[in-house]
């Protein structure tokens, strides 16, 4: 069996905060399986500029901006699993993560305007996604606005809704507060184990 390729994207502008800690717990658990290869990207270091809305990708099949998205574009395509983590800022994902989602316009153009495949046909239905998020507020609706944005991102990169998982922890505001959350770390381990098991079954 080929190695399972996981791309883990830390979206927060605050390094080693709650959402990145949640991401690190997930990938730490994944690395216990020798068949999994994890690459971690930190968006604050990745030079992902905002989308210009020029629609050039609808004709060219690539983005005219040349920045960190050049390399990340290929990693997104090659990965068997993409994990995106982001804190909730003003009821949605943070600006760095949203810039990545907006730059995924190139995949939308490829798929719906140019009618070209995003991934080879044999890999359709064999890609997985995981959204990890934390919020300072304890409102039960605090993640509601973020979910459609995340679904849009995963949809255009050919991860189906049924293959998309979520782990969202609220009421962790101060940096590091998630470390004392009663269930967050165990939930991260559980969802990581379940995801690896599903990927091994689907990709074997």
């Amino acid at each position: 069996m080929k190695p399972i390729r996981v791309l883990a994207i830390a979206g927060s502008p605050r390094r080693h905060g709650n959402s990145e800690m949640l991401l690190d717990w997930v990938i730490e658990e994944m690395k216990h399986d020798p068949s999994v290869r994890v690459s971690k990207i930190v968006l604050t270091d990745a030079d992902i500029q905002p989308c210009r809305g020029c629609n050039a990708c609808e004709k060219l099949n690539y983005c005219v901006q040349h920045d960190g998205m050049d390399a990340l574009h290929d990693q997104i395509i090659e990965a068997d699993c993409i994990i995106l983590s982001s804190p909730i800022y003003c009821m949605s994902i943070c600006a760095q993560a949203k810039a990545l989602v907006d730059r995924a316009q190139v995949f939308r153009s490829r798929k719906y305007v140019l009618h070209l495949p995003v991934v080879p046909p044999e890999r359709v239905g064999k890609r997985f996604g995981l959204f990890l998020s934390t919020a300072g507020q304890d409102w039960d609706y605090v993640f509601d606005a973020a979910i459609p944005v995340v679904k849009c991102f995963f949809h255009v990169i050919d991860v189906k809704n049924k293959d998309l998982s979520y782990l969202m922890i609220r009421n962790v505001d101060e940096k590091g507060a998630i470390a004392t959350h009663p269930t967050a770390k165990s939930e991260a381990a559980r969802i990581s184990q379940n995801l690896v098991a599903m990927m091994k079954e689907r990709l074997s």
Side-chain angles (χ1 to χ4, degrees):
M1 180 178 174
K2 293 181 180 179
I4 297 170
R5 298 161 295 186
V6 175
L7 175 63
I9 303 170
S12 178
R14 181 170 66 175
R15 290 304 319 274
H16 311 297
N18 294 315
S19 66
E20 189 174 352
M21 287 180 68
L22 194 60
L23 175 66
D24 288 341
W25 288 337
V26 168
I27 61 180
E28 178 185 324
E29 185 68 30
M30 284 186 167
K31 287 178 179 178
H32 290 158
D33 193 305
S35 65
V36 177
R37 301 286 183 271
V38 180
S39 297
K40 180 181 174 182
I41 300 293
V42 177
L43 288 185
T44 53
D45 300 330
D47 186 30
I48 308 295
Q49 298 300 310
C51 176
R52 296 176 182 172
C54 66
N55 290 329
C57 57
E58 293 187 353
K59 297 181 176 64
L60 300 174
N61 191 26
Y62 62 83
C63 183
V64 295
Q65 295 193 75
H66 294 294
D67 56 14
M69 193 64 185
D70 288 346
L72 190 53
H73 171 281
D74 293 343
Q75 290 177 281
I76 288 171
I77 291 174
E78 292 164 3
D80 299 305
C81 176
I82 299 95
I83 307 173
L84 175 63
S85 70
S86 172
I88 297 298
Y89 286 0
C90 297
M91 303 306 293
S92 190
I93 60 176
C94 63
Q96 292 75 13
K98 185 59 164 62
L100 170 66
V101 172
D102 290 349
R103 290 291 296 280
Q105 178 79 353
V106 68
F107 299 109
R108 172 259 174 200
S109 296
R110 185 172 303 159
K111 193 171 185 178
Y112 295 110
V113 179
L114 300 173
H115 305 291
L116 296 171
V118 173
V119 297
E122 64 271 15
R123 294 187 61 216
V124 173
K126 295 184 178 181
R127 279 160 62 81
F128 297 83
L130 173 59
F131 176 57
L132 305 171
S133 190
T134 55
Q137 298 88 353
D138 196 24
W139 307 325
D140 58 5
Y141 55 86
V142 71
F143 300 107
D144 288 1
I147 291 172
V149 178
V150 170
K151 283 186 174 181
C152 177
F153 170 67
F154 281 104
H155 179 75
V156 297
I157 62 171
D158 272 349
V159 175
K160 298 180 182 298
N161 280 344
K162 68 181 180 65
D163 297 319
L164 180 55
S165 304
Y166 303 86
L167 178 54
M168 300 175 289
I169 306 293
R170 63 182 195 251
N171 200 26
V172 284
D173 196 11
E174 295 81 11
K175 184 176 182 179
I178 199 167
T180 59
H181 189 278
T183 63
K185 191 169 186 178
S186 61
E187 288 183 72
R190 176 189 53 78
I191 203 166
S192 179
Q193 293 164 2
N194 290 345
L195 190 51
V196 169
M198 286 192 296
M199 290 192 293
K200 290 175 79 169
E201 181 180 1
R202 189 87 57 87
L203 297 172
S204 62

